[in-house]
Amino acid sequence: MRRFESYGVLITGAGRGIGEATARRLAAEGAHVLVTDLDEDRAEKAAAGIRESGGVAEALACDVADSTSVDAAVAYAVQRFGSLDTLVNNAYSCHPDAPLFEDESDEIWQRDLDITLTGAYRCARAALPHLAAAPDGRGAIVSIGSVNGEQDFGNHAYSAAKAGLAGLTRTLAGHAAPRGVRVNLVAPGTVRTDAWAGRDDALARAAEYYPLGRVGHPDDIAAAVAFLASRDASWITGVTLPVDGGILTGRTGLRRALRGE
């Protein structure tokens, strides 16, 4: 199925992980994908892999903390593909918490919010006029949130940014709907990406707490993004879709403890 034939798509933070998997998935379904990343070499490597598989992809360095860089990326996508039909906000920043909350720094807090939340705001602001001009109701924004924005899984600044991104999704959906643009968010649980490199033991322990018995893979999230970006979801906007192996259904560890396991 090629649900994105000739779509112009821009994905942030797409040099690896969830962003790269999403770029591959949408390109495989016919999209022309602009792979953006802070690391231009990483973006080009991901785009080259798509082209080797027969897809259409280009690469561009983009810093979502810089409005000029964001505006340039959106303009480049429109110029190269003729339109911009889908924006995927995937870029994020996540720093570990200080041992005590009072030791958290303004710099870490601001960095996580500026990349994760305000970066998505900058991208949506630049892209929205083009998405509204997309034909046949194709215009869509899909942001990558997190279960951290829904419950406590640690990381104060990152979690606050992801919760804010869910809020922005709802308010922007209401604004953009009359303009023919849908806005949704995917909230992943723990996903095996490079961020977990060298921590296989931690992932194995985490898997025990997921009702479906495993942590996620980037392709799990890419599939959900593809659905929400496609016209299969033409009557869906303003939602947060958990793709989390069931972790938000409840605290399975507590249930086991109460059973004496």
Side-chain angles (χ1 to χ4, degrees):
M1 184 180 354
R2 293 173 67 85
R3 293 177 292 182
F4 302 100
E5 195 69 51
S6 76
Y7 276 46
V9 175
L10 189 159
I11 306 176
T12 65
R16 60 183 178 181
I18 290 170
E20 181 183 9
T22 301
R24 285 191 282 101
R25 175 63 183 258
L26 298 186
E29 293 198 38
H32 301 171
V33 180
L34 180 59
V35 176
T36 74
D37 200 281
L38 190 60
D39 185 326
E40 188 169 15
D41 290 339
R42 196 159 59 201
E44 178 51 43
K45 182 178 179 182
I50 291 170
R51 292 193 295 268
E52 289 169 5
S53 299
V56 177
E58 298 201 22
L60 189 72
C62 179
D63 179 1
V64 300
D66 179 4
S67 293
T68 300
S69 181
V70 167
D71 292 347
V74 168
Y76 185 85
V78 173
Q79 186 268 323
R80 294 298 296 168
F81 304 146
S83 68
L84 180 61
D85 303 284
T86 301
L87 167 68
V88 180
N89 287 313
N90 173 70
Y92 75 96
S93 174
C94 180
H95 289 85
D97 290 335
L100 293 175
F101 184 75
E102 56 265 35
D103 294 331
E104 297 282 340
S105 71
D106 284 357
E107 291 76 19
I108 295 301
W109 176 269
Q110 188 59 49
R111 182 64 177 170
D112 281 5
L113 264 69
D114 196 37
I115 298 297
T116 308
L117 176 56
T118 311
Y121 156 77
R122 293 184 185 102
C123 292
R125 182 179 61 187
L128 189 55
H130 303 284
L131 299 173
D136 304 324
R138 289 170 18 163
I141 298 172
V142 183
S143 296
I144 307 301
S146 173
V147 294
N148 284 56
E150 307 297 317
Q151 289 185 10
D152 169 30
F153 294 99
N155 297 106
H156 303 298
Y158 171 80
S159 297
K162 291 297 191 181
L165 189 53
L168 177 62
T169 295
R170 291 187 290 271
T171 58
L172 185 54
H175 171 82
R179 303 170 70 177
V181 178
R182 296 177 301 101
V183 186
N184 293 295
L185 180 140
V186 174
T190 306
V191 177
R192 186 183 296 274
T193 66
D194 289 348
W196 291 92
R199 302 173 65 191
D200 286 347
D201 289 348
L203 290 175
R205 291 193 301 271
E208 296 177 5
Y209 290 90
Y210 278 84
L212 289 181
R214 67 172 176 88
V215 298
H217 300 291
D219 286 345
D220 295 320
I221 313 307
V225 174
F227 165 66
L228 288 175
S230 77
R231 280 180 283 191
D232 288 343
S234 63
W235 210 44
I236 299 174
T237 196
V239 306
T240 291
L241 173 62
V243 183
D244 66 349
I247 196 67
L248 291 179
T249 62
R251 299 290 186 172
T252 56
L254 175 60
R255 187 185 306 118
R256 292 170 184 168
L258 292 173
R259 290 200 301 254
E261 297 179 1

